[in-house]
Amino acid sequence: MCGIVAYIGSKPAKPLLLEGLKRLEYRGYDSAGLAILDGTLQIAKAVGRVVNLETKLKKLPGFEGSLGLAHTRWATHGGVTELNAHPHRDDKSGIAIVHNGIIENYAALKKLLTERGHTFHSDTDTEVLAVLIGELYEGDLEAAVQAALREVTGAYAICVVCEQEPGVLVCARKGSPLMVGVGSGECVVASDPSAIVAHTSQAFALEDYNVARITREGFRTSTIDNKPVSPKMMQLELDLEQAELGTYEHYMLKEIFEQPTSLRTTMRGRVDLNEGKIVLGGLMDCAKELVKIKRFILIAQGTALHAAMIGEYLLEDLATVPAECEYASEFRYRNPIIEDRTAVIAVSQSGETIDTLSALHEAKDRGALSLGVINVVGSSIARETEAGVYLRVGPEIGVASTKAFTGQVAALTLMSLFLARRRFMSAERTRTLLDALNKIPQAIETALESNDLVRRVTEKYVERDNWLFLGRGYNYPTALEGALKLKEISYIHAEGMPAAEMKHGPIALIDDGMPAVFIANKGPQYEKVINNIEEVRARGGHVIAVATEGDEHIASIAEDVLYVPDVPDCLSPMVTVIPLQLMAYHAAVLRGHDVDKPRNLAKSVTVE
Ligand code: M6R
């Protein structure tokens, strides 16, 4: 989604801001812009990639100062045009602003400001905020920002500069992430730590309703009501090399192939095979409370939701405790009943997904114990949950989530076993499952060896515009994930569903143009899945099966078989998903799409 980078210090801001914007490109955007304050404000914008902005800037004189703001925009209000790209400015006061989020009452504010004689050049909510700050400006930028933010509803991360205060950068946040990296005589502010770590590892995350006033000499933080607050400094641990492409053609492919390594890191130090124990430091403080929990509610969106659905099965199956999983966006707006001893588990790669964060607030307000299964350390959800398990899969750059999915499933498996062992599971059964879990990275390595075959199979069907993904039990969410992956990067319409549901309507779609991908591993529902495959075959559908190595029968009923190693059913989604991820990747490449920058999508969805 939109990205922000701002700089104040002694170095030329322009190259630093452009480099920061490139680090944020993976988040998804459709235009870019920057402003440099060097006596006067200079602003440049371009539609499309950051490189377009860079090319434009090469032809423009000036842009030499060491204070500036930059932005990648993912359109919400108004089309993808230069006029709508950020930074936006208020001409009267000489204020420029970049903004992530949505100002919900912008229409009312715009009407009011128009009545007071202001004119607007764009369709954006952000320009309204710029003009509002300008209207309230009386020689103190920080005070004007605070006053304006008291008037707005919605979500924002903003950075603001003003021609009349050439050494001041003001930033603020509510509901949209913003981090201040603090170096010596300089600060880099960004919506994502990846744009900061090249410059400093000391940083703090702004909290909701907080404002930072930054100069070259230092900074101070306050609330929008001007009450001083002390930020909590943290050490950024992001390894920039991990975020490089290396020899791979796309981040998505790199991340698919990274999964054996990333999962080993997820499990390192957490699995004690000798003792049959699970060591999860992030849960220890509330372990006693956790064991007594009567109901878990898992909330998430997208791929994280599919992992959370597997978590629901795991908690019920292994830890024998009632669990249910729900779209965070739906949970938030109904009247969720949170009874005594209920825990909510927010599952999110970024830890910034606004739907998940807002649902978490709702659950906490109603008295639930809050847990997180998060990848990005120090993200909003990680900070706001009482306990949790980090994925430790490293930065995920590909918009299509892959290694985060397997990391989320592994973390939820560890969490379920942690609880199971403290409830009713014997040491021996725990040890057996932990042993199998430890071998999952190896099983993924084997599954990845079929990459060429997956490409050839995908080639056969890549022109088809409608696909079905079917699975049962633990692999019903895997089917949903397979369909989502195909949709988001190859723009092929795909539906995932429980294999048994097909007979209740979707079977009407089956004809000889429809590929149906079945996850048919040797689990407890194998025979039932075979029946469902026969039903599709009988209607001329093309069956592609993801099956367990050694299953010869399936080769006689499916047109194409993608074998994966035999692992316990409850752990199988981490392995069966591999050919589906590869299939989506190859379909996108074969169709000529930009795999890492799929149209309309953003890596982290920070608006509702
Ligand atoms: O950062 P999160 O895990 O909270 O993100 C949730 C979804 O937006 C995300 O999984 C999305 O569905 C991905 N594009 C899937 O590949």
Side-chain angles (χ1 to χ4, degrees):
M1 211 131 255
C2 304
I4 288 178
V5 200
Y7 176 76
I8 180 165
S10 54
K11 297 179 192 140
K14 182 175 72 178
L16 201 143
L17 294 175
L18 285 170
E19 185 254 346
L21 287 186
K22 285 180 188 162
R23 296 243 171 243
L24 300 184
E25 283 195 289
Y26 78 97
R27 298 174 63 96
Y29 69 103
D30 40 49
S31 52
L34 66 68
I36 302 285
L37 181 51
D38 187 17
T40 57
L41 266 174
Q42 293 172 289
I43 297 182
K45 304 178 187 186
V47 166
R49 300 277 179 242
V50 172
V51 71
N52 300 354
L53 176 68
E54 197 172 19
T55 310
K56 189 170 189 178
L57 279 164
K58 280 189 187 136
K59 294 180 199 139
L60 294 174
F63 291 89
E64 304 292 354
S66 53
L67 167 57
L69 320 168
H71 192 259
T72 45
R73 173 176 187 253
W74 187 85
T76 58
H77 292 62
V80 181
T81 63
E82 269 189 29
L83 274 182
N84 287 335
H86 300 205
H88 286 284
R89 62 172 290 159
D90 171 56
D91 293 328
K92 190 178 76 139
S93 57
I95 278 170
I97 181 173
V98 289
H99 165 223
N100 288 357
I102 292 178
I103 304 300
E104 285 170 1
N105 59 340
Y106 86 102
L109 290 169
K110 190 170 185 173
K111 185 166 176 277
L112 199 84
L113 291 164
T114 308
E115 282 162 11
R116 288 190 195 154
H118 294 279
T119 48
F120 293 87
H121 310 288
S122 76
D123 308 315
T124 65
D125 51 335
T126 304
E127 191 187 7
V128 176
L129 184 55
V131 172
L132 179 64
I133 297 172
E135 166 90 359
L136 296 166
Y137 185 73
E138 289 173 351
D140 181 344
L141 183 60
E142 182 190 27
V145 169
Q146 288 168 329
L149 294 180
R150 290 195 294 268
E151 302 292 320
V152 305
T153 55
Y156 53 78
I158 55 169
C159 288
V160 195
V161 291
C162 175
E163 281 177 345
Q164 300 176 57
E165 292 176 62
V168 178
L169 169 65
V170 175
C171 319
R173 160 209 161 121
K174 193 228 144 187
S176 204
L178 199 63
M179 193 163 259
V180 181
V182 184
S184 149
E186 63 178 9
C187 282
V188 184
V189 184
S191 50
D192 182 320
S194 61
I196 297 177
V197 277
H199 308 284
T200 175
S201 58
Q202 292 299 307
F204 64 90
L206 268 182
E207 298 294 339
D208 277 353
Y209 301 107
N210 282 3
V211 177
R213 178 185 188 274
I214 308 170
T215 64
R216 292 179 177 88
E217 288 71 47
F219 64 86
R220 70 166 181 245
T221 45
S222 59
T223 64
I224 59 170
D225 296 316
N226 202 27
K227 299 208 174 69
V229 286
S230 308
K232 210 164 128 199
M233 292 304 291
M234 63 169 106
Q235 177 86 18
L236 297 178
E237 276 166 13
L238 199 70
D239 177 355
L240 274 186
E241 245 179 59
Q242 277 191 302
E244 304 291 348
L245 207 44
T247 53
Y248 287 93
E249 216 172 313
H250 298 103
Y251 280 107
M252 182 186 179
L253 189 64
K254 175 182 180 241
E255 286 159 5
I256 291 175
F257 274 85
E258 244 170 43
Q259 290 175 105
T261 313
S262 61
L263 279 193
R264 285 189 180 104
T265 316
T266 305
M267 290 187 281
R268 185 163 303 134
R270 289 167 160 177
V271 173
D272 181 343
L273 274 182
N274 292 333
E275 299 281 321
K277 254 179 40 189
I278 301 91
V279 186
L280 291 173
L283 297 184
M284 282 321 288
D285 284 353
C286 65
K288 282 199 179 131
E289 202 180 339
L290 265 182
V291 175
K292 292 186 196 141
I293 289 295
K294 282 183 167 165
R295 179 169 158 245
F296 283 93
I297 302 172
L298 298 105
I299 47 170
Q301 298 289 144
T303 288
L305 181 88
H306 303 150
M309 288 171 78
I310 296 166
E312 172 189 356
Y313 283 60
L314 287 163
L315 283 162
E316 295 201 334
D317 188 11
L318 306 182
T320 57
V321 55
E324 64 206 62
C325 177
E326 188 166 352
Y327 282 108
S329 55
E330 291 301 311
F331 175 87
R332 183 191 175 189
Y333 287 111
R334 55 185 185 82
N335 184 17
I337 314 286
I338 304 284
E339 288 165 328
D340 192 29
R341 290 198 260 160
T342 298
V344 68
I345 307 178
V347 183
S348 171
Q349 186 286 129
S350 62
E352 300 294 352
T353 300
I354 194 78
D355 290 316
T356 311
L357 182 61
S358 308
L360 176 73
H361 291 158
E362 188 65 40
K364 280 175 76 174
D365 286 351
R366 290 170 186 242
L369 174 71
S370 60
L371 308 172
V373 172
I374 307 295
N375 193 35
V376 178
V377 177
S379 56
S380 300
I381 300 180
R383 293 201 312 277
E384 294 192 31
T385 40
E386 289 151 272
V389 181
Y390 276 122
L391 308 186
R392 301 190 192 151
V393 297
E396 189 180 63
I397 306 294
V399 170
S401 189
T402 52
K403 65 175 179 173
F405 174 77
T406 46
Q408 283 157 350
V409 176
L412 287 162
T413 309
L414 288 169
M415 205 182 226
S416 303
L417 286 170
F418 177 91
L419 267 175
R421 184 69 195 101
R422 281 167 174 75
R423 287 165 61 87
F424 310 110
M425 193 179 275
S426 68
E428 201 181 323
R429 174 146 159 75
T430 314
R431 210 173 288 128
T432 309
L433 282 171
L434 284 179
D435 190 35
L437 182 61
N438 247 356
K439 292 184 181 138
I440 290 294
Q442 211 178 311
I444 294 179
E445 266 155 11
T446 310
L448 287 167
E449 285 168 13
S450 308
N451 184 30
D452 285 342
L453 174 64
V454 178
R455 197 189 57 244
R456 289 198 299 277
V457 171
T458 311
E459 252 168 14
K460 277 170 69 177
Y461 304 103
V462 73
E463 299 304 333
R464 310 292 166 102
D465 286 327
N466 295 291
W467 294 46
L468 283 182
F469 285 77
L470 302 143
R472 297 178 83 122
Y474 277 107
N475 281 299
Y476 153 47
T478 318
L480 295 180
E481 178 58 8
L484 176 64
K485 285 284 91 74
L486 192 67
K487 271 186 269 206
E488 62 182 341
I489 52 168
S490 63
Y491 318 147
I492 293 172
H493 172 241
E495 275 192 59
M497 68 190 71
E501 176 64 12
M502 192 186 54
K503 290 191 292 293
H504 299 275
I507 199 163
L509 295 169
I510 306 278
D511 61 15
D512 70 355
M514 172 80 91
V517 182
F518 276 89
I519 296 112
N521 60 311
K522 282 265 169 119
Q525 302 200 53
Y526 173 74
E527 298 300 341
K528 306 265 181 223
V529 176
I530 295 295
N531 293 342
N532 299 139
I533 291 180
E534 296 286 11
E535 288 152 13
V536 170
R537 266 203 350 143
R539 284 155 186 90
H542 298 279
V543 173
I544 305 163
V546 174
T548 306
E549 262 167 9
D551 179 356
E552 284 169 18
H553 171 63
I554 203 140
S556 65
I557 56 167
E559 266 178 80
D560 297 282
V561 184
L562 302 169
Y563 285 110
V564 294
D566 192 9
V567 301
D569 191 47
C570 65
L571 307 180
S572 64
M574 286 180 275
V575 183
T576 53
V577 78
I578 302 297
L580 307 186
Q581 295 173 342
L582 289 170
M583 195 177 269
Y585 172 78
H586 291 302
V589 173
L590 287 163
R591 283 189 166 219
H593 299 314
D594 188 343
V595 174
D596 288 328
K597 298 190 185 79
R599 71 180 180 208
N600 304 338
L601 289 184
K603 180 64 188 160
S604 144
V605 182
T606 49
V607 294
E608 274 196 66

